[in-house]
Amino acid sequence: MDTNPVFRRRQNHNNTPESITLIITNVIVFIVATQIFANCTKISTFYWVVMGALGVYNFFNIRKFREDYGRVQVIAYVISIIVLIAMFFLLRSRAQTC
């Protein structure tokens, strides 16, 4: 029998905070949606649908885990959104081979 409480601290090893999970989800969905739906010539309407759904997911996730979002987590979340917006304009402004 293991008497060490380190491994019994949290079940299923769920040690990743919800704010980090949300930021990672935002980056993955943004990158995949940009690669699939934002072509050289135009941005698909479905891209904006995916971004809107991501925004709704963010709203409800932050609302559900409100107690986990302190000042540092909110600052990290806002910085990640600003970086995603800057990446969007950077990817759209660079010359791409079509």
Side-chain angles (χ1 to χ4, degrees):
M1 180 152 197
D2 187 19
T3 59
N4 193 354
V6 172
F7 298 108
R8 291 182 286 154
R9 187 172 32 192
R10 286 187 170 195
Q11 293 181 352
N12 298 328
H13 300 286
N14 296 327
N15 292 328
T16 306
E18 290 298 325
S19 59
I20 300 300
T21 305
L22 182 66
I23 291 171
I24 292 171
T25 303
N26 285 343
V27 170
I28 290 172
V29 170
F30 171 78
I31 289 173
V32 169
T34 303
Q35 290 297 319
I36 293 174
F37 301 116
N39 296 337
C40 295
T41 56
K42 73 177 201 112
I43 298 173
S44 173
T45 306
F46 194 67
Y47 177 80
W48 298 114
V49 171
V50 169
M51 289 297 114
L54 184 63
V56 170
Y57 172 75
N58 283 334
F59 173 76
F60 284 113
N61 193 338
I62 290 173
R63 192 170 152 210
K64 180 178 179 182
F65 299 107
R66 183 67 183 148
E67 65 276 356
D68 292 341
Y69 287 91
R71 180 182 165 119
V72 175
Q73 287 82 9
V74 170
I75 291 172
Y77 175 74
V78 169
I79 288 173
S80 72
I81 297 297
I82 292 171
V83 167
L84 288 178
I85 292 170
M87 276 180 37
F88 174 77
F89 286 115
L90 178 71
L91 291 174
R92 294 294 298 156
S93 68
R94 295 186 70 202
Q96 301 174 358
T97 58
C98 295

